[in-house]
Amino acid sequence: MLPDTEMAAAPLIVHLIHRLDVGGLENGLINLINHLPPGRYRHAIVCLRDYTDYHLRIERPGVEIISINKRDGKDWGHYLRLFQTLKRLRPLLIHTRNLSGIEGQLLAACAGVRLRVHGEHGRDIDDLHGLSLKYRCLRKLLRPLIGHFIAVSKDLEAWLIGTIGARPQHVTHIGNGVDSLQFHPRLGPTAAVGPAGFLCEDAYVIGSVGRMAEVKDHLSLVQAFILLIAEHALPRNRLRLLIAGDGPCRQACLDLLRQAGMEELAWLPGTRDDIPQLMRAMDVFVLPSLAEGTSNTILEAMASGLPVVATAVGGNPDLVHSGWTGTLVPPRSPAMLADAINDYYRLPALAASHGQRGRRRVLAEYSLIAMADAYLAVYDSLAAPPQRDR
């Protein structure tokens, strides 16, 4: 561990996010802080809303977490609170993320924060394709204040350059990384997970992990699960559905399963902290999102040796090579989701080969160290003293 004096002398980076809770963006931020070289930079996380126990996953000492406590709607007072917080912290660099944080760029400039980075990690249900005139104008207005953009997918990189007008030399594509030691294929019999009777002998588990919000479209997965039994005639004594995560759409999924008489075949446990173990209980992983950046859960599923069925949106095609490591289908297509899952159920060798290839690809291209090194290169290039002509 570095001496306190050396840590205190390291320049500070403020990471501005909406809320620190379970989610892909938040998981990526924590992984980044945990894997950047200790002592190079100090870190503080400023949450526009608040934070949960999810912050306990941070392994680096001395990371300050601050809540601005922004109220719903237009809370003008939160701008003053954010400005005062930045003046107190006096960071070398601020790194904002997504639409909810981009206004912080203006407050940071006013507070004298010299270096400013903005990251795009994916879109919400209100602007799935980045076409909202209001939000495009906001980003274009603030673009001159941003020293560098980071896009987690090639789709977002192209959008920042082509639609928002960012200069290509000021945009870097950095995909997420995954812990391939924590997430690994099943090494023996399936561990007992879920309530009594859920994992029956010879169960075939269709799984998903993620925030159960409308943009993730877990209802399409539930509809596909019902189709597999009702129309594809897959045996209900084997088929199981596992969706780990919480959010406003969880109850609607439970209601749909209950109406179909399949509630006992599914387990929707809400937020969990044993995702690696749950992944190893799955036979196929499904991500039916309407929009994505670079999905952490797809990478975790690939690292776990699972074939992946995902929608062909955002950064998913960058990760899933259809017909090689998984299958891509259009969004909002329960019938096509069911067809893809059915292929893996009926062709176990295909599922195994796709899962093995996915694992190899993660090991080669999506390590946490490679991700941290790419962010570090951006931070260091901005923080380096300007070169003067001799």
Side-chain angles (χ1 to χ4, degrees):
M1 184 177 294
L2 293 168
D4 291 343
T5 53
E6 188 173 341
M7 281 295 298
L12 176 67
I13 296 176
V14 162
H15 303 271
L16 179 65
I17 62 174
H18 181 68
R19 186 171 188 261
L20 184 54
D21 197 359
V22 178
L25 183 157
E26 297 81 2
N27 184 54
L29 170 58
I30 291 174
N31 281 336
L32 175 62
I33 291 174
N34 287 342
H35 287 84
L36 284 170
R40 184 75 69 87
Y41 295 100
R42 292 178 296 125
H43 301 274
I45 300 175
V46 176
C47 308
L48 292 174
R49 298 296 294 268
D50 56 6
Y51 60 92
T52 68
D53 288 345
Y54 198 63
H55 77 279
L56 297 175
R57 298 184 179 213
I58 299 172
E59 299 168 2
R60 287 280 185 264
V63 177
E64 186 177 2
I65 303 175
I66 301 159
S67 295
I68 299 298
N69 297 314
K70 180 181 182 295
R71 297 190 299 272
D72 291 334
K74 205 64 178 175
D75 176 9
W76 297 102
H78 97 276
Y79 294 119
L80 177 60
R81 296 193 294 275
L82 177 56
F83 175 80
Q84 291 171 336
T85 298
L86 293 174
K87 288 292 284 185
R88 176 179 68 83
L89 293 174
R90 299 174 61 191
L92 171 71
L93 184 149
I94 186 168
H95 185 161
T96 62
R97 288 163 170 85
N98 279 357
L99 179 67
S100 61
I102 197 168
E103 291 178 317
Q105 293 284 332
L106 178 59
L107 277 297
C110 294
V113 182
R114 184 170 61 87
L115 306 179
R116 298 179 293 274
V117 175
H118 180 71
E120 290 288 346
H121 291 250
R123 305 189 188 98
D124 212 339
I125 192 69
D126 294 331
D127 189 23
L128 287 176
H129 306 292
L131 300 178
S132 166
L133 178 61
K134 177 176 69 173
Y135 297 148
R136 286 207 317 267
C137 289
L138 175 63
R139 286 181 167 100
K140 288 182 177 182
L141 183 67
L142 296 175
R143 183 188 63 209
L145 299 177
I146 298 170
H148 205 86
F149 290 90
I150 293 175
V152 299
S153 70
K154 293 177 182 177
D155 168 69
L156 288 169
E157 178 186 27
W159 172 76
L160 281 169
I161 295 169
T163 301
I164 305 305
R167 294 182 179 180
Q169 63 269 32
H170 292 166
V171 182
T172 300
H173 166 221
I174 304 177
N176 291 330
V178 62
D179 187 340
S180 56
L181 296 179
Q182 185 180 26
F183 289 91
H184 61 77
R186 189 186 307 163
L187 301 177
T190 305
V193 299
F198 172 72
L199 269 192
C200 58
E201 186 178 356
D202 203 25
Y204 188 86
V205 180
I206 301 161
S208 190
V209 175
R211 179 171 48 95
M212 297 192 72
E214 188 177 354
V215 71
K216 300 297 183 181
D217 196 25
H218 288 103
L219 274 172
S220 283
L221 174 55
V222 172
Q223 291 166 350
F225 180 75
I226 293 170
L227 288 173
L228 285 168
I229 295 174
E231 296 188 10
H232 289 266
L234 267 61
R236 65 182 290 147
N237 64 324
R238 282 197 65 195
L239 216 61
R240 296 292 183 268
L241 176 65
L242 194 172
I243 305 177
D246 205 355
C249 294
R250 180 170 174 264
Q251 189 58 50
C253 291
L254 290 169
D255 292 342
L256 187 57
L257 288 161
R258 189 177 301 112
Q259 292 165 12
M262 299 181 186
E263 187 180 13
E264 77 282 0
L265 307 181
W267 183 40
L268 280 65
T271 301
R272 301 282 298 190
D273 58 6
D274 56 349
I275 299 302
Q277 182 180 352
L278 296 184
M279 289 270 191
R280 288 190 284 274
M282 299 174 188
D283 293 282
V284 60
F285 181 85
V286 184
L287 190 74
S289 301
L290 303 179
E292 278 293 339
T294 297
S295 168
N296 281 286
T297 55
I298 283 182
L299 290 172
E300 290 165 357
M302 292 168 65
S304 301
L306 296 174
V308 175
V309 177
T311 46
V313 299
N316 289 352
D318 297 341
L319 305 181
V320 179
H321 290 178
S322 199
W324 188 252
T325 64
T327 304
L328 293 172
V329 302
R332 293 192 173 104
S333 302
M336 297 187 72
L337 279 177
D339 289 342
I341 297 168
N342 184 51
D343 288 343
Y344 287 125
Y345 175 83
R346 299 193 182 280
L347 299 169
L350 179 69
S353 65
H354 283 192
Q356 290 165 4
R357 291 169 187 157
R359 167 81 178 172
R360 288 198 296 268
R361 184 155 188 250
V362 162
L363 294 176
E365 302 178 34
Y366 292 97
S367 74
L368 287 174
I369 297 301
M371 178 194 74
D373 285 348
Y375 276 96
L376 185 64
V378 171
Y379 297 154
D380 283 351
S381 67
L382 292 173
Q387 297 292 321
R388 294 183 178 180
D389 294 334
R390 296 186 61 181

